[in-house]
Amino acid sequence: MQRPRLKMRLGDLLVHEGIISEPQLQQALSQQQQSGRKLGATLTELQFLTEQQLLQFLAQQLNVPFLDIAQKQINPKTVQLLPEVQARRFRALVLEDHGSKVLLGMSDPADLAAMDQLAELLAPRQIELAVVREGQLIAAFDTLYRRTKDIESFASQLKEEHGTSNELDLNAVDEQGDADNTIVKLLQSIFEDAVQVKASDIHIEPDEKVLRIRQRVDGVLQENILNQVSIAAALVLRLKLMANLDISEKRLPQDGRFQINVKKHQIDVRISTMPVQYGESVVMRLLDQSAGVLQLEETGLPAPMLAKLRRIIKSPHGMILVTGPTGSGKTTTLYGMLSELNQAGSKIITVEDPVEYRLPRVNQVQVNHKIGLTFSNVLRTTLRQDPDIIMVGEMRDQETAEMGLRGALTGHLVLSTLHTNDAVTSTLRLIDMGAAPYLVASALRAIIAQRLIRRLCDYCKQPYQPDDMESNWLRHINTSKTATYWQAPGCQSCNHTGYKGRLGVFELLMITKPLADALRRDDTAGFATLAQHSEGFTRLGTMALHYAQQGVTSLEEVIRVSEYLDDDIDITAESS
């Protein structure tokens, strides 16, 4: 391969072309000596030029193309020509394979030492270079270098070791978890793949002829099918051993937890097993402890709402509820509040099932129903522990709800969650559970309702015209007729889903005196009307629609969030 070379050193070239000044170059060189980083990275870090300016300049000087690989269709088999370890080390990716030559994307094509080693690794193929953003390369590594092949390979090996029978010899599995054990390697590959794509859950589901391993990414399940269904029993057994569950009990559901380290991430795994027709189904929730607890400003709460919430949580007493369905981010918001309240002068006790994140200085109690350690029993003891702040993981029954409300009336700040669709119906849910209306009115200070919606991929999103169903829905809610909406067809960057990441949408209802009076009168209809017209109250669907009009999310996501709030609208009707 004829290696492209710069005619001068990079810094001198940039000065010669007037892109940076000589003093800027000297400052960058001085900082480079201290940090040991490359000059290009140092220049962009000092904001003397952008990464795109630098890469376009390099491409022009080396006479190679500058590519946006987010829009490019890349074959995962082509990528495998360069091992993942070397690809990450040299920041290089095989983009195209033409048999005798390959197109190689690099973030630093001027690195001659890396070029020499890459030429050896890809020999006898010739290399054609392209310049690619480093951030795009790193994102591509995570989506293209999946563990699918490893999982299939270990599954086949495990099937050979244990035969084709669905019945597993318990003695055949090493309970000590030997690193060479095939099951351990298979599970390690499954967890590595899940962490790599930022999956929140792993589902292992035996079917009649196949074993499905599914991962929930951005709220949507992605499926990998294995033909080795006979290995399901071995996988479940190993997971039960890791979670200290009863390995002989296959007829009843079981719950447990364990911790593993994957790719320098400490992952807390909550496991649930359930007997199904063809064996046992396993669902594992993955909590990345190394990521830490999000601060309140990182949860996505809008600034005005965040300011109101911060005033409320400084109250010495009262109850604050966070509501929404499972997987809506309630626990993240609660822990954000706890993190802000966690001061040396305050005693905080939490009652959780399970304890999801460990917090210093906070007394966290894990509920255990088997021995009678229920929410209500722990909460009763908690009130005698001289707490300032109490967090109850979930209001599940009348006794827990009433005890929490009474605790909020006796000088404690109580935080909790409730499974409801919106803020307005949360008070009605408490009353429906058996809590006295006057008690709810006196204790409740605020309710936060929230959902998680998917973000459109920034690389492939584009304006579009809403279809008939969406147009009809927009017409019914009387929104702006001139607003622009966006959709994303999918690209390499978003794994061809059109979405990448999620964000929260919220509504905050402050319990004012008129609202409290309506509750005391048990006037649920009046309460709902007053709440909808409260000053500063914004509905979930309204906030989601605002994000759609900004191009952050799609109308599809807005309608999904709003479906509980606008049941009277027939969005399937034909537009006129």
Side-chain angles (χ1 to χ4, degrees):
M1 180 192 69
Q2 186 175 0
R3 299 180 300 178
R5 292 178 178 271
L6 294 172
K7 298 175 183 178
M8 301 168 58
R9 291 183 302 179
L10 175 60
D12 295 333
L13 269 173
L14 290 168
V15 172
H16 181 266
E17 296 295 328
I19 298 174
I20 62 172
S21 64
E22 182 64 35
Q24 287 177 327
L25 173 60
Q26 295 306 318
Q27 182 182 343
L29 289 171
S30 175
Q31 182 160 324
Q32 183 195 18
Q33 288 180 343
Q34 297 174 6
S35 66
R37 301 188 66 191
K38 293 182 178 180
L39 179 60
T42 305
L43 288 167
T44 55
E45 188 178 276
L46 292 170
Q47 298 183 347
F48 292 157
L49 77 171
T50 65
E51 182 189 23
Q52 182 160 336
Q53 284 177 310
L54 175 65
L55 294 180
Q56 285 178 334
F57 176 78
L58 273 173
Q60 183 180 3
Q61 293 297 317
L62 295 171
N63 195 28
V64 297
F66 174 62
L67 296 181
D68 181 358
I69 63 169
Q71 304 289 350
K72 190 175 181 61
Q73 292 279 355
I74 303 174
N75 188 336
K77 292 182 179 179
T78 299
V79 169
Q80 300 296 330
L81 291 173
L82 185 63
E84 181 183 1
V85 173
Q86 308 301 336
R88 291 184 182 274
R89 176 186 174 189
F90 297 121
R91 294 292 189 262
L93 190 71
V94 180
L95 305 176
E96 296 175 8
D97 179 16
H98 301 291
S100 61
K101 60 183 179 181
V102 294
L103 178 63
L104 185 71
M106 291 186 69
S107 60
D108 185 8
D111 187 342
L112 299 182
M115 285 298 306
D116 286 338
Q117 294 188 57
L118 287 166
E120 289 181 16
L121 288 166
L122 293 169
R125 293 176 173 86
Q126 293 294 308
I127 294 176
E128 290 185 352
L129 272 180
V131 182
V132 179
R133 291 188 186 91
E134 184 174 6
Q136 288 188 349
L137 281 176
I138 293 172
F141 294 151
D142 290 339
T143 56
L144 292 169
Y145 283 105
R146 299 291 297 270
R147 296 292 180 269
T148 308
K149 276 192 173 181
D150 291 343
I151 292 170
E152 291 175 353
S153 173
F154 290 133
S156 297
Q157 186 177 339
L158 186 61
K159 182 179 179 181
E160 291 176 6
E161 292 176 3
H162 293 289
T164 57
S165 172
N166 286 334
E167 293 299 321
L168 182 70
D169 178 8
L170 300 187
N171 296 323
V173 180
D174 176 17
E175 294 190 12
Q176 301 303 315
D178 186 356
D180 293 331
N181 192 289
T182 309
I183 300 177
V184 174
K185 291 179 180 179
L186 173 56
L187 286 172
Q188 186 72 16
S189 296
I190 291 172
F191 283 118
E192 284 182 0
D193 192 50
V195 169
Q196 193 163 293
V197 296
K198 298 180 175 60
S200 60
D201 301 84
I202 300 173
H203 296 231
I204 298 176
E205 303 168 343
D207 210 331
E208 183 179 7
K209 296 181 179 179
V210 296
L211 175 64
R212 303 179 194 278
I213 298 179
R214 303 201 282 177
Q215 301 167 335
R216 191 173 296 280
V217 181
D218 291 339
V220 178
L221 286 170
Q222 298 178 1
E223 187 172 76
N224 183 24
I225 296 177
L226 299 178
N227 293 320
Q228 300 84 359
V229 67
S230 60
I231 70 170
L235 280 180
V236 174
L237 174 62
R238 168 61 65 182
L239 290 168
K240 282 184 173 181
L241 288 169
M242 294 168 71
N244 293 318
L245 300 181
D246 184 354
I247 61 174
S248 63
E249 181 57 77
K250 300 179 181 180
R251 302 164 300 169
L252 295 173
Q254 297 188 65
D255 297 304
R257 69 189 303 164
F258 58 89
Q259 282 194 335
I260 56 171
N261 288 307
V262 181
K263 290 179 168 289
K264 300 181 180 179
H265 293 259
Q266 185 179 1
I267 306 297
D268 194 6
V269 182
R270 288 163 43 188
I271 178 173
S272 172
T273 69
M274 182 175 67
V276 292
Q277 187 174 7
Y278 297 105
E280 287 181 275
S281 168
V282 176
V283 175
M284 293 177 284
R285 170 66 55 89
L286 309 182
L287 298 168
D288 190 349
Q289 298 290 337
S290 58
V293 176
L294 287 181
Q295 302 301 308
L296 270 180
E297 56 268 16
E298 298 174 308
T299 60
L301 281 160
M305 197 178 290
L306 181 58
K308 288 181 182 178
L309 181 60
R310 280 186 163 139
R311 286 198 300 271
I312 297 167
I313 64 176
K314 290 178 181 176
S315 301
H317 56 82
M319 177 179 283
I320 301 171
L321 284 178
V322 183
T323 73
T326 301
S328 59
K330 299 186 299 295
T331 304
T332 300
T333 303
L334 270 185
Y335 273 97
M337 287 190 273
L338 281 182
S339 180
E340 196 151 309
L341 292 167
N342 189 7
Q343 306 293 331
S346 299
K347 171 138 184 175
I348 302 176
I349 301 178
T350 72
V351 189
E352 306 173 65
D353 184 21
V355 175
E356 296 199 7
Y357 295 97
R358 277 77 171 179
L359 293 174
R361 202 189 291 116
V362 176
N363 296 271
Q364 296 174 275
V365 182
Q366 166 75 56
V367 167
N368 188 340
H369 294 280
K370 293 180 181 177
I371 60 173
L373 197 66
T374 62
F375 276 108
S376 55
N377 288 341
V378 177
L379 190 52
R380 190 178 292 110
T381 304
T382 295
L383 293 172
R384 296 195 289 268
Q385 287 280 312
D386 189 29
D388 298 293
I389 300 160
I390 302 169
M391 187 190 90
V392 184
E394 184 184 344
M395 293 292 177
R396 292 186 177 179
D397 52 49
Q398 178 182 355
E399 187 179 7
T400 305
E402 287 192 343
M403 207 169 297
L405 290 165
R406 293 186 188 281
L409 287 175
T410 55
H412 307 96
L413 180 64
V414 179
L415 312 176
S416 189
T417 69
L418 198 62
H419 284 254
T420 56
N421 293 327
D422 57 29
V424 176
T425 57
S426 298
T427 53
L428 312 183
R429 170 70 179 133
L430 282 175
I431 295 170
D432 184 58
M433 287 169 65
Y438 75 88
L439 199 57
V440 177
S442 302
L444 203 55
R445 292 287 176 268
I447 307 167
I448 306 165
Q450 64 183 81
R451 295 283 195 288
L452 291 176
I453 58 175
R454 292 180 292 171
R455 287 180 178 270
L456 284 171
C457 174
D458 287 329
Y459 287 109
C460 63
K461 70 180 181 183
Q462 57 195 27
Y464 88 113
Q465 187 65 34
D467 61 25
D468 289 347
M469 183 191 75
E470 293 166 340
S471 297
N472 187 55
W473 186 81
L474 290 169
R475 188 175 68 252
H476 276 290
I477 63 173
N478 297 318
T479 191
S480 170
K481 295 181 180 180
T482 60
T484 301
Y485 298 97
W486 302 71
Q487 68 176 6
C491 66
Q492 184 62 48
S493 179
C494 60
N495 202 22
H496 305 286
T497 62
Y499 297 95
K500 193 170 185 179
R502 292 190 290 178
L503 75 157
V505 289
F506 305 85
E507 62 184 26
L508 173 63
L509 179 63
M510 315 274 287
I511 306 301
T512 59
K513 187 177 184 303
L515 288 171
D517 289 342
L519 285 174
R520 287 190 184 94
R521 296 192 303 268
D522 201 11
D523 181 7
T524 56
F527 174 85
T529 303
L530 285 170
Q532 296 290 357
H533 296 90
S534 295
E535 183 180 353
F537 178 71
T538 302
R539 300 172 77 185
L540 285 168
T542 304
M543 181 177 288
L545 184 62
H546 178 65
Y547 282 131
Q549 292 171 345
Q550 290 180 325
V552 177
T553 191
S554 65
L555 272 177
E556 175 190 14
E557 287 292 287
V558 178
I559 293 173
R560 181 178 64 81
V561 169
S562 305
E563 63 179 345
Y564 304 107
L565 312 178
D566 299 295
D567 288 337
D568 56 323
I569 296 176
D570 181 12
I571 61 172
T572 62
E574 289 294 328
S575 298
S576 56

